[in-house]
Amino acid sequence: AELALSAGDEAAAVRDMDAALTLGANEVLPALTQALGRQAERSAAVGDSETARSATLRLAELAQAAGDLVQSEEILFAWVDANPGDHDVLQVMRERFEAQERWEACGKVWARLAQIEQGEARAQAVLSMAAAWEKLDRGAEAIAQLKDVLAQMPKHVEVRARLAQLLAGTGQAIEAAQLHIQMAEEEGDEAERHRLLVRAAETLLGAGGFVAAAHALEKAIALRPSERLARGLLVDAYVGTGELERATEVLDGLLGEAKSLRAEELAAL
């Protein structure tokens, strides 16, 4: 390695020191780190992106092996700051940070991937970003990008469901319920459609959206007329809208079935 450096062959010196390090010669680590740094800078300056990338990735690996995860992360992010379209390095970073459960770094990488991916790949990147932020109790930070993806792919089931979940969790209940109603309208399975409508209605009732809740419950009851939960909620919705006669009519129907109700169901009425 010393001969190679004296001859100006830095690439050969790096290979020699890397080989020595592999054999246990840890004393070469400082010199190897410096040589890799120079190699990365010089290669980038002359447009040799492959060599610059390889040297940068190796520098990050050495920092990680030394236990300095922060420095390793900084090296990698500096590279993608300068090369934002480097999909391969972003994927390397994603795999590494996920394995280390470094969720903030994961969220940042997924956010960058979301900027360069298209179509379904972008949708999955944003969903993964949302999952990373949720692990840090920062799921709300994904709402804007989820909305953006949904604007481009309005029938994407996963994106719509995750967006509804995050909206509900951040106090935007009415908007979340509207998404559930949209999901119900496009759902082919009757039981799931009913469940989504009732769930939306419960959210709307809690937010004071009595008119919209009543409409959702009427649709749910049309699907399953004998289901009591939806009818009980409809009583609350009608009371909230001031439609006391209609509320009384539904309640009378439920009370007429009192003989077949369980004690807890009767108590709920």
Side-chain angles (χ1 to χ4, degrees), residues 226-229 232 251 254-255 257-269:
S226 63
E227 204 277 323
R228 297 187 185 109
L229 173 61
L251 182 58
L254 286 168
L255 291 174
E257 301 169 4
K259 291 182 180 180
S260 63
L261 295 180
R262 296 191 300 271
E264 57 270 24
E265 290 177 314
L266 187 57
L269 296 177

Side-chain angles (χ1 to χ4, degrees), residues 115-139:
Q115 293 174 357
I116 63 175
E117 299 283 20
Q118 300 293 325
E120 180 61 22
R122 180 169 184 248
Q124 293 303 320
V126 172
L127 286 167
S128 296
M129 179 192 70
W133 291 142
E134 281 188 284
K135 290 181 183 293
L136 300 171
D137 293 325
R138 291 163 51 187

Side-chain angles (χ1 to χ4, degrees), residues 58-265:
R58 185 61 179 137
L59 275 170
E61 287 177 356
L62 292 175
Q64 178 179 320
D68 195 340
L69 299 182
V70 173
Q71 183 184 16
S72 177
E73 181 179 321
E74 289 174 351
I75 290 169
L76 291 169
F77 273 110
W79 173 264
V80 294
D81 282 342
N83 303 272
D86 195 332
H87 187 275
D88 292 340
V89 170
L90 284 168
Q91 290 291 356
V92 168
M93 293 168 69
R94 175 191 63 77
E95 293 175 4
R96 189 170 299 177
F97 296 148
E98 285 181 348
Q100 297 166 353
E101 297 187 352
R102 294 176 65 83
W103 302 120
E104 182 163 4
C106 282
K108 292 178 180 178
V109 170
W110 280 119
R112 289 168 186 259
L113 282 167
Q115 293 174 357
I116 63 175
E117 299 283 20
Q118 300 293 325
E120 180 61 22
R122 180 169 184 248
Q124 293 303 320
V126 172
L127 286 167
S128 296
M129 179 192 70
W133 291 142
E134 281 188 284
K135 290 181 183 293
L136 300 171
D137 293 325
R138 291 163 51 187
E141 295 181 30
I143 287 176
Q145 289 203 55
L146 286 166
K147 285 184 174 181
D148 187 45
V149 171
L150 195 60
Q152 297 176 20
M153 307 173 72
K155 294 190 177 183
H156 199 291
V157 175
E158 289 180 82
V159 171
R160 193 157 47 185
R162 178 56 64 87
L163 178 56
Q165 173 198 341
L166 292 177
L167 288 169
T170 54
Q172 301 174 69
I174 291 180
E175 192 173 353
Q178 289 170 340
L179 284 173
H180 282 131
I181 290 171
Q182 291 175 18
M183 293 164 65
E185 289 173 350
E186 297 169 13
E187 176 58 53
D189 181 76
E190 181 181 292
E192 179 62 11
R193 186 159 68 251
H194 181 274
R195 186 190 71 80
L196 286 167
L197 287 167
V198 172
R199 180 178 179 183
E202 289 177 321
T203 302
L204 288 164
L205 286 171
F210 299 112
V211 173
H215 290 162
L217 289 164
E218 287 165 356
K219 291 179 181 180
I221 292 167
L223 292 171
R224 296 193 166 186
S226 63
E227 204 277 323
R228 297 187 185 109
L229 173 61
R231 287 186 290 159
L233 292 172
L234 186 57
V235 172
D236 294 335
Y238 284 154
V239 170
T241 62
E243 300 178 87
L244 300 183
E245 288 186 8
R246 299 184 74 180
T248 300
E249 181 182 344
V250 176
L251 182 58
D252 286 344
L254 286 168
L255 291 174
E257 301 169 4
K259 291 182 180 180
S260 63
L261 295 180
R262 296 191 300 271
E264 57 270 24
E265 290 177 314

